[in-house]
Amino acid sequence: MTDATEFAPGLMIRGITAPQKLADYKLIAFDMDSTLITIECIDEIADATGKKAEVAAITEATMRGEITDFKDSLRQRVAKLAGVTEADMARVLKERLQLSPGAASLVKAARAAGLKVLLVSGGFTYFAEHVRGLLNIDFVRANVLEVRDGVLTGGLIEQTWGDICDGAEKRRTLLEVASLIGISPAQCIAVGDGSNDIPMMQAAGLSVAYHAKPRVRNEAKVAINEGGLDRLLEVLQ
């Protein structure tokens, strides 16, 4: 992380003075996979068809920024999910989905400080809505997997805003929700780990990289490289 200073072990800051006040912000936006939760859902779903390694390799290259067209990357990966059943997805949700360390504490603190919470994901509503319930999240935007007769088709369902929530859509959603609740982008925090989170991080007043890829850490004002999400509370008190 260029021009960064170590605020505490495993916690880097750049371009800000700390500690700041959490209550100075009004919205916190989170990526889901490998940020609010510990897994990449699409990789775990692919495990049901024996294609986890193949799909995970595309996911990793996309998050590192080596594959720059997120929409095309996601379509490729979702196509490999054809034949996965709703029962397979339920198993992933029950057996593999876990909140990241400190996620509940950070969201609870943010809500107590008066912030609204947004989950904006290139993943899927099937999991995002579950996480919404776990954390009492205010707004969710994610992709919808097409299901016919209890089986994934390998396609996505178009929504009113489009069919794929990529980096540009994440940024647009952050700005849309900010406008909806009457705040400026400077009053937003954006937390993510992959290249498709960079556009919303650049739009927000405070950008936070969580156990992120190098390119993402280099864009962030705060980089949590060790420990849980609640380490942000060391910077925002």
Side-chain angles (χ1 to χ4, degrees):
M1 191 177 182
T2 55
D3 302 319
T5 58
E6 189 172 51
F7 179 68
L11 186 63
M12 309 295 290
I13 62 173
R14 176 177 68 173
I16 61 170
T17 56
Q20 298 185 348
K21 289 184 179 179
L22 182 57
D24 288 341
Y25 297 91
K26 302 301 178 188
L27 175 70
I28 185 165
F30 292 96
D31 170 52
M32 181 174 69
D33 295 71
S34 298
T35 301
L36 267 184
I37 62 176
T38 60
I39 62 171
E40 291 285 337
C41 291
I42 193 166
D43 298 350
E44 302 306 321
I45 300 169
D47 204 17
T49 58
K51 295 180 179 177
K52 181 175 179 179
E54 189 178 346
V55 169
I58 301 172
T59 301
E60 180 67 15
T62 304
M63 292 303 100
R64 285 197 304 263
E66 294 167 8
I67 297 175
T68 55
D69 188 335
F70 179 85
K71 289 188 175 184
D72 184 57
S73 161
L74 186 64
R75 288 190 183 101
Q76 286 182 40
R77 288 176 287 158
V78 169
K80 296 180 187 298
L81 303 182
V84 172
T85 68
E86 288 183 309
D88 292 328
M89 295 215 299
R91 227 172 357 257
V92 169
L93 191 151
K94 181 179 179 181
E95 298 175 4
R96 304 189 187 189
L97 188 149
Q98 294 183 338
L99 294 175
S100 292
S105 298
L106 176 55
V107 171
K108 183 178 179 181
R111 294 187 64 83
L115 282 75
K116 295 293 186 182
V117 182
L118 165 66
L119 187 165
V120 58
S121 174
F124 310 114
T125 53
Y126 183 88
F127 302 99
E129 290 296 338
H130 177 74
V131 174
R132 182 211 286 261
L134 291 177
L135 295 175
N136 195 22
I137 289 171
D138 298 291
F139 306 98
V140 169
R141 178 151 295 175
N143 304 305
V144 180
L145 291 163
E146 186 178 52
V147 181
R148 288 182 191 157
D149 300 321
V151 178
L152 298 190
T153 67
L156 294 162
I157 294 176
E158 183 149 349
Q159 300 178 72
T160 54
W161 47 265
D163 62 338
I164 291 179
C165 186
D166 61 354
E169 182 60 29
K170 287 189 174 193
R171 179 182 184 276
R172 199 185 73 78
T173 301
L174 175 82
L175 297 175
E176 177 186 308
V177 173
S179 176
L180 179 69
I181 62 177
I183 65 169
S184 72
Q187 293 172 291
C188 300
I189 303 169
V191 187
D193 74 302
S195 291
N196 65 325
D197 296 314
I198 290 174
M200 74 169 179
M201 291 169 66
Q202 291 174 333
L206 184 67
S207 51
V208 181
Y210 178 67
H211 292 261
K213 305 297 182 286
R215 183 180 170 204
V216 184
R217 291 200 302 269
N218 289 336
E219 289 283 344
K221 292 182 179 178
V222 177
I224 302 169
N225 301 323
E226 298 173 11
L229 277 167
D230 54 348
R231 293 208 67 192
L232 182 58
L233 300 175
E234 296 175 38
V235 179
L236 299 176
Q237 297 178 358

